[in-house]
Amino acid sequence: MFHSEKTANDLHETPKWVSVVGTWRNEKIETESVSPLPESPFRWPSALLEPPAEVDGGLPLDEIKSLLRTQEIRELQDNGAILQLSPVRLANSDRHCVVVATAEPERAEQALRPRIGDALLIVPSAWTAETLSSVADGLARHDKILHGIGQGMDARGQVRVTASVTRVTPDFAKWAASVPEGLLDLEVWLKPAQ
């Protein structure tokens, strides 16, 4: 636990983020040093950094959102044909394209191209729905150290699972090593001092 001698009048000076160096002993840290950090060390990985060159024109975001709110699209997501879909803003524009990571490119094309037209970019997924489900199940088995989990896309349009954990236990490290490379991005709160 971090303890400060500051009074209520000094709270505006209390750092929002700190780095704590110490030794983890059962349920607490024996603190050696605490130093303020200028900003949060936590960074979620970015989605697509560059808008895809293959897409021309794009659509307004509100139009894309309404086109994607259909039962057919929910069914494609539920049965694993669409693993992730993300609107991506085109450079220097208020228009967007839709990037779809899919295990079934032909099926996604048939369902989405008539609705979205040239604003659609299909990316064949490196992962299956079963693989993503297995990773989610594995993270759930480690819920005592799990702080947060999310799913998004990396810069290639591939699904990326991001998890924030308080620390890495030997069991968790063994499990995480079994996850295919590039699928899981971990943010670990407590790490050995360098």
Side-chain angles (χ1 to χ4, degrees):
M1 171 158 47
F2 178 69
H3 175 74
S4 173
E5 297 297 325
K6 294 188 178 284
T7 66
N9 292 334
D10 297 324
L11 284 179
H12 66 280
E13 296 176 20
T14 302
K16 189 172 184 179
W17 302 99
V18 295
S19 172
V20 178
V21 176
T23 304
W24 183 265
R25 303 249 189 246
N26 296 325
E27 297 299 318
K28 67 179 186 173
I29 297 175
E30 290 181 10
T31 305
E32 294 172 20
S33 68
V34 177
S35 47
L37 297 174
E39 60 182 37
S40 168
F42 187 76
R43 297 281 181 267
W44 288 102
S46 333
L48 290 164
L49 301 176
E50 298 283 329
E54 298 87 9
V55 176
D56 291 321
L59 296 169
L61 185 58
D62 288 341
E63 187 175 338
I64 287 175
K65 286 180 180 180
S66 69
L67 290 170
L68 296 177
R69 286 188 199 115
T70 68
Q71 182 62 33
E72 182 180 13
I73 295 194
R74 279 190 292 278
E75 287 171 6
L76 288 169
Q77 290 173 312
D78 290 346
N79 71 26
I82 293 177
L83 302 173
Q84 184 75 31
L85 80 147
S86 297
V88 177
R89 186 174 180 173
L90 299 174
N92 301 318
S93 172
D94 62 350
R95 298 173 83 73
H96 294 70
C97 67
V98 177
V99 180
V100 176
T102 177
E104 300 179 34
E106 297 82 17
R107 192 166 166 207
E109 175 82 26
Q110 289 174 346
L112 298 174
R113 183 70 64 193
R115 287 182 173 82
I116 300 169
D118 291 337
L120 177 65
L121 179 63
I122 302 259
V123 178
S125 178
W127 325 116
T128 64
E130 292 78 21
T131 301
L132 295 174
S133 180
S134 173
V135 169
D137 292 346
L139 287 167
R141 284 193 303 274
H142 295 92
D143 65 333
K144 291 188 180 192
I145 62 168
L146 186 64
H147 179 71
I149 183 173
Q151 181 174 302
M153 284 186 168
D154 68 11
R156 301 166 298 131
Q158 293 295 326
V159 177
R160 164 90 34 108
V161 175
T162 302
S164 174
V165 295
T166 53
R167 65 188 184 282
V168 174
T169 62
D171 183 50
F172 183 81
K174 182 178 177 183
W175 170 80
S178 73
V179 174
E181 186 175 340
L183 175 54
L184 181 62
D185 188 29
L186 289 176
E187 173 64 32
V188 181
W189 288 20
L190 299 175
K191 304 178 213 182
Q194 310 306 23

